[in-house]
């Protein structure tokens, strides 16, 4: 059974307390999917920091199986906060974030590592280990989750092949181009077969050719059934993709379009 055929409740966390997936909010996604395909739902989510600084205000949206979504907006719009809420690094001040029907704010400590292994994240600055090879950087993500040597030896070459770096598998981090570094970052994010891949400004430090190579790789991953969320300032990429676009401004979702374009 492929990932696309799996039910939402099987994709992230044990279904101890399944909840319904009702919607609310002005920026509701057009109903191109059945509610049974909802994997993630933000319900009236706000995040306020000290000094009554509200980074996210009343966010309402659903994410369905197999979607590719761009989140856009100027610096300070709330994109990074939205990502930290989704990875459970932050808890909402108000509202609920449901993943596979469960409120992730209510996850037990022992459940959080399992959940986070199903959420891969890649960053603009790569966050690779210096003085390590491509193989060692990818293997490290498995080592910290207590994978056996046999599992590491089996999985790492396969993942590196997916991102097209087999011929460079023993290259050191400092020998890599920006595009290659981002491919390693993606490979590391894929080691636990995540059901959601979040790309936070993944092409910000790349040249145009490398940018489109990374976008094509994200598409390849998405076609295998992984939800991809792309947070980006790259207008050309967003406008060319013709995928769903959630636009943010001053912490609020100001538009949510099925085939959207970059809006400031």
């Amino acid at each position: 059974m492929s990932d696309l055929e799996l039910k939402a409740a099987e994709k992230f966390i044990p279904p101890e307390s399944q909840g319904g997936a009702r919607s609310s909010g002005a920026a509701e996604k057009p109903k191109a999917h059945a509610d049974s395909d909802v994997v993630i739902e933000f319900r009236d989510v706000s995040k306020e920091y000290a000094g009554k600084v509200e980074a996210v205000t009343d966010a309402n949206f659903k994410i369905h199986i197999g979607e590719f979504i761009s989140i856009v907006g100027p610096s300070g719009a709330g994109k990074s906060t939205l990502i930290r809420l989704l990875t459970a690094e932050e808890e909402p001040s108000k509202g609920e974030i449901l993943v596979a029907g469960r409120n992730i704010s209510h996850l037990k400590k022992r459940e959080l590592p399992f959940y986070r292994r199903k959420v891969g994240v890649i960053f603009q600055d790569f966050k690779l280990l210096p003085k390590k090879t491509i193989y060692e950087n990818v293997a490290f993500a498995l080592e910290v989750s207590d994978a056996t040597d046999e599992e590491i030896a089996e999985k790492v070459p396969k993942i590196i092949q997916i991102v097209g770096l087999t011929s460079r598998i023993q290259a050191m981090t400092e020998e890599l181009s920006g595009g290659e570094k981002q491919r390693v970052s993606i490979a590391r994010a894929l080691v636990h077969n995540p059901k959601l891949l979040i790309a936070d400004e993944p092409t910000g430090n790349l040249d145009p050719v490398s940018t489109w190579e990374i976008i094509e790789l994200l598409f390849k991953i998405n076609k295998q059934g992984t939800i991809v969320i792309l947070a980006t300032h790259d207008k050309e990429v967003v406008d060319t993709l013709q995928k769903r676009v959630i636009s943010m401004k001053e912490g609020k979702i100001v538009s949510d379009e099925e085939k959207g374009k970059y809006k400031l």
Side-chain angles (χ1 to χ4, degrees):
M1 181 179 291
S2 72
D3 279 346
L4 285 172
E5 293 168 321
L6 292 175
K7 293 187 181 298
E10 297 173 322
K11 299 183 79 63
F12 284 89
I13 45 184
E16 292 184 358
S17 58
Q18 293 298 324
R22 298 182 301 275
S23 65
S24 61
E28 184 71 23
K29 180 183 179 299
K31 293 186 178 299
H33 301 266
D35 274 358
S36 60
D37 289 339
V38 173
V39 181
I40 299 164
E41 182 176 4
F42 275 57
R43 293 182 180 174
D44 298 317
V45 172
S46 296
K47 178 62 180 180
E48 185 178 287
Y49 292 105
K52 295 187 177 181
V53 176
E54 202 158 70
V56 173
T57 304
D58 296 328
N60 286 279
F61 60 90
K62 297 176 182 178
I63 297 175
H64 299 75
I65 293 172
E67 283 202 275
F68 190 114
I69 300 170
S70 296
I71 300 179
V72 305
S75 297
K79 302 187 301 297
S80 295
T81 300
L82 207 68
I83 288 171
R84 290 196 295 272
L85 289 166
L86 191 49
T87 58
E89 296 174 70
E90 301 271 10
E91 290 189 10
S93 305
K94 186 187 77 172
E96 297 179 316
I97 302 170
L98 303 181
V99 178
R102 293 188 64 193
N103 186 337
I104 61 174
S105 296
H106 296 166
L107 291 177
K108 300 178 177 66
K109 286 186 178 181
R110 61 180 171 81
E111 293 176 310
L112 281 172
F114 180 86
Y115 170 70
R116 287 174 178 150
R117 283 199 294 270
K118 296 301 180 182
V119 181
V121 184
I122 58 176
F123 303 93
Q124 179 176 344
D125 57 354
F126 317 125
K127 298 190 184 299
L128 300 182
L129 298 171
K131 309 298 181 183
K132 298 289 185 181
T133 66
I134 289 176
Y135 183 98
E136 290 168 334
N137 266 279
V138 178
F140 179 75
L142 289 167
E143 290 168 0
V144 297
S145 61
D146 298 322
T148 66
D149 291 343
E150 290 76 14
E151 288 175 317
I152 293 171
E154 179 183 359
K155 287 184 176 181
V156 172
K158 292 179 180 178
I159 295 167
I160 291 174
Q161 183 179 27
I162 289 172
V163 300
L165 289 175
T166 299
S167 64
R168 301 277 283 156
I169 195 167
Q170 294 302 330
M172 303 296 289
T173 300
E174 56 265 33
E175 299 171 4
L176 305 178
S177 68
E180 288 173 330
K181 288 178 180 177
Q182 194 57 283
R183 285 175 177 268
V184 178
S185 179
I186 293 172
R188 189 179 54 193
L190 293 177
V191 294
H192 296 297
N193 188 30
K195 307 307 178 185
L196 168 64
L197 181 63
I198 299 172
D200 190 4
E201 298 288 353
T203 62
N205 292 329
L206 303 182
D207 60 77
V209 172
S210 296
T211 290
W212 285 108
E213 288 176 348
I214 294 302
I215 296 301
E216 287 175 6
L217 180 54
L218 293 178
F219 261 123
K220 177 181 177 181
I221 294 165
N222 176 245
K223 286 179 181 178
Q224 299 302 312
T226 300
I227 296 167
V228 174
I229 296 178
L230 171 66
T232 183
H233 285 100
D234 196 321
K235 183 180 187 301
E236 181 181 0
V237 167
V238 174
D239 290 352
T240 303
L241 288 176
Q242 295 189 345
K243 292 288 187 179
R244 182 180 173 191
V245 178
I246 295 176
S247 300
M248 298 188 70
K249 185 176 182 180
E250 297 178 351
K252 297 180 180 180
I253 295 176
V254 294
S255 68
D256 185 351
E257 299 178 332
E258 185 68 26
K259 290 187 177 180
K261 292 190 174 183
Y262 193 101
K263 295 181 179 179
L264 291 176

